[in-house]
Amino acid sequence: MHRSAPATPGKAHAPAPRIRLARVLACAAVPVMLVAVGCSSDSGGDKKSDSASSSASGGKQASSSPSLAPAKFKKLPEACQSIGAGSIDKYVPKAKTKAGEVGKTSDPQSRASCTWNGLDDKGVQGSLYRWLDVDFKRYDSAQGLGTGDALAQKQFERAVSAAQSTADAKNVKTSPVSGLGDQATAITFDLKKTDADFKYGVVVVRTANVVVAVDYNGTGYQGADAPQTNEVQEGATVTAKEAVTAVATANNK
């Protein structure tokens, strides 16, 4: 999920590193069988009747497995259209591709994602790099596995745990996010890579049988500062709300 870092940019004191930075960023369920038992007449008649009744009762119980509640959401939104243009302008200024880059998937109604990244050159004040990723996972109810909501719950827990245990992350903080989906958690942390200090804001949301995970992060190059923790948490939370709304909208059409 954390694929944001561009290649190491150049030094701030010479123009050539800016050229190299631009080049690198351009590349950043068993049938039941009933068996009739033969018995002699007279006193054996009652046994035969009891046996048939018992078999019929057993067959009825075995054939009626408990039904699962159907999944609420049947499809996912277009990932790159789930975040508004205004939010992209605000949180990913100078986005390389404002329409976003669609993630590869073999089943767009079960898995979908989109990524935006941009480098805002502030001249002598340095450059601001921002990266935003929205990821959707949808689960259907399935016999032997569970309901869509239960399966999504497991994925929600995995996603939160993965963010909290990011390799080499520092200052990891986790907090609940109220009023968002059925449950939502925000994770923030610092991560140093490509000789730059990145700030990460991750928000994971479960809305019924869909899990939405937003990863928003950034850094500063050539003298510019990395964003503040509250900035990346805000960006991740705002865009996560938009993504959750997009799920509901896609299923109301």
Side-chain angles (χ1 to χ4, degrees), residues 2 161-170 172 189 191:
H2 310 297
S161 179
Q164 293 172 324
S165 57
T166 298
D168 301 321
K170 305 295 183 182
V172 181
F189 55 88
L191 187 64

Side-chain angles (χ1 to χ4, degrees), residues 106-117:
S106 59
D107 182 1
Q109 294 311 322
S110 293
R111 303 287 186 273
S113 64
C114 188
T115 302
W116 297 261
N117 68 84

